[in-house]
Amino acid sequence: MATRVASIAGLGVRDRAAPPLGLAALAAACLALGLLSLAGPSTPTYDPWAWLIWGREILHLDLDTRFGPSWKPLPVLFTTVFGLAGGAAPALWVAVARAGALASLALAFRVGRRLGGGVAGGLLAAVCLAVSTDFLRFAAVGDSEGLLVALLLAAIELHLAGRRRAALWACFGAALLRPESWPFVGTYALWLAWRDPAARRLVAGMTVVGAVVWFGPELWGSGNPLRAGERARDPNPNALAFAEHPALEVARRFDSMMPLV
């Protein structure tokens, strides 16, 4: 009991490399459900198709990112491997995206319960996530937001269990999905480097690798390492670029997407 309290309080209990068995079993169960869901409609939407194309192009050493959405390293890592499966690649990615969304719901319950909400609080957290605007619909068509939420919630659970390096790896996965996670992931990485000097080399390595896999493929595929950021500013219909104050519009839309509770 004392070890558990010390771990949660941050008193230096040694981190263990392997994640809790519960998380591994949860991931396996969600992946199985994601694969079973392929019995129904499973066509990916626009962004995932681009990731699938880029994954196949990487296999052929002929990457071209001049067209399409913003680059995201983690999905393309999956789709590059799935490219070896030929025509099954789109379905495999959709299964992973759906598994991520299912895992995020389960983890919302676990984290909500663990933080003091009990079963009722955990259920409320999971339901609120499920009814957030278009969350489940986006996951169903292969978008990566469900996987992003799952990784961040897994990081919280791992941290609460005292497994901080494992939490850092989950944060790293999230950082390879969306730049919006960088301030939060970066703050956690700096905190861990301060509390655990032995982790500083890992933090530094992740920082270098993260920069390489975010900007290197764009330099290879388009000649411009910042193309993804420029692509995100293109004024598509309903784009943030049309707002008078785009940064404030981001906050407004975030607020409108989340349930009142």
Side-chain angles (χ1 to χ4, degrees):
M1 179 64 179
T3 300
R4 178 177 175 82
V5 172
S7 173
I8 294 177
L11 299 182
V13 175
R14 186 177 179 182
D15 188 30
R16 290 166 288 178
L21 179 61
L23 280 182
L26 173 64
C30 290
L31 182 56
L33 290 173
L35 290 169
L36 287 173
S37 75
L38 298 178
S42 56
T43 302
T45 190
Y46 176 74
D47 284 21
W49 271 118
W51 305 333
L52 289 158
I53 292 169
W54 290 339
R56 182 166 295 186
E57 289 178 346
I58 289 173
L59 286 176
H60 291 87
L61 301 179
D62 188 26
L63 180 63
D64 184 352
T65 62
R66 291 173 298 168
F67 309 102
S70 298
W71 172 266
K72 291 183 175 64
L74 189 62
V76 179
L77 175 62
F78 277 98
T79 60
T80 299
V81 175
F82 293 160
L84 299 172
L92 290 173
W93 168 253
V94 169
V96 168
R98 292 175 178 177
L102 292 171
S104 70
L105 296 175
L107 287 164
F109 170 80
R110 289 166 61 135
V111 171
R113 181 180 61 178
R114 184 164 192 164
L115 289 177
V119 173
L123 288 172
L124 183 61
V127 169
C128 285
L129 177 59
V131 301
S132 298
T133 304
D134 287 332
F135 179 78
L136 294 178
R137 183 177 73 83
F138 286 151
V141 294
D143 283 333
S144 61
E145 280 67 28
L147 190 58
L148 172 69
V149 175
L151 286 167
L152 292 172
L153 288 173
I156 294 172
E157 176 156 317
L158 288 163
H159 173 80
L160 293 174
R163 299 176 178 272
R164 291 167 185 161
R165 294 196 187 184
L168 182 64
W169 279 106
C171 286
F172 183 60
L176 298 184
L177 271 167
R178 279 207 174 262
E180 292 90 338
S181 70
W182 293 356
F184 307 99
V185 169
T187 299
Y188 184 75
L190 291 173
W191 175 85
L192 182 60
W194 172 62
R195 291 299 301 267
D196 181 7
R200 291 173 184 172
R201 294 175 66 179
L202 178 60
V203 170
M206 287 180 173
T207 302
V208 172
V209 171
V212 169
V213 298
W214 268 103
F215 302 111
E218 282 286 15
L219 181 61
W220 172 22
S222 71
N224 178 8
L226 302 179
R227 185 209 68 96
E230 295 176 1
R231 174 66 179 84
R233 291 195 296 268
D234 284 352
N236 295 320
N238 200 37
L240 295 169
F242 284 130
E244 184 176 358
H245 302 288
L248 294 178
E249 182 64 12
V250 169
R252 188 195 69 78
R253 294 191 188 183
F254 171 78
D255 178 68
S256 70
M257 290 174 66
M258 299 303 293
L260 179 62
V261 70

